[in-house]
Amino acid sequence: MLFVIFYCSHVHCPITMQFLQCPPDLTGNKSYIDEAEIFFSDPVRWLEAHFPNQTVLSTHLVFFEVLEKEISPFLERNSYVKTSEFFHTHVPEGRVGRNIYLYERQT
């Protein structure tokens, strides 16, 4: 669930993936807020709203390490375990972290 990773060059199989949407507002609506902004304003609340019960939980979550501490209650409560870590940049900034984490749900 990471919207800045270009997966097309690496994923070559038909699987369902969900990404945060952040399209520009082309209507001129001054109160427009994209999904990414809503997510980052309260990540745990967004996750709980989109995954309200065990039957709809994703098998994997992918995100920058800067989110790990904030969403750790959700990860622990739903049995997600970090299975991989990938270097991303030498210059992390804001929401973009140095590393990308892959968490897998343990059933």
Side-chain angles (χ1 to χ4, degrees):
M1 181 185 102
L2 183 62
F3 66 98
V4 297
I5 296 175
F6 299 101
Y7 69 94
C8 294
S9 63
H10 302 290
V11 179
H12 301 286
C13 57
I15 60 174
T16 302
M17 299 174 85
Q18 178 183 353
F19 299 88
L20 294 176
Q21 300 296 310
C22 53
D25 173 38
L26 302 177
T27 67
N29 180 353
K30 294 190 187 294
S31 62
Y32 173 76
I33 302 173
D34 66 44
E35 185 180 33
E37 286 297 323
I38 294 167
F39 171 81
F40 282 106
S41 69
D42 192 342
V44 172
R45 183 175 174 190
W46 188 95
L47 289 165
E48 289 172 347
H50 284 78
F51 305 111
N53 60 59
Q54 298 288 318
T55 62
V56 296
L57 286 171
S58 292
T59 58
H60 296 79
L61 295 176
V62 180
F63 53 88
F64 288 115
E65 93 262 359
V66 295
L67 272 176
E68 185 180 46
K69 184 176 181 181
E70 190 169 358
I71 67 172
S72 64
F74 176 86
L75 298 171
E76 292 167 10
R77 187 169 46 255
N78 292 291
S79 304
Y80 284 98
V81 175
K82 186 184 339 179
T83 56
S84 295
E85 181 176 331
F86 307 95
F87 174 76
H88 178 67
T89 183
H90 288 291
V91 188
E93 183 178 341
R95 299 173 179 165
V96 178
R98 179 175 309 279
N99 297 301
I100 297 169
Y101 290 166
L102 172 66
Y103 271 73
E104 184 174 349
R105 189 164 168 256
Q106 305 298 302
T107 55

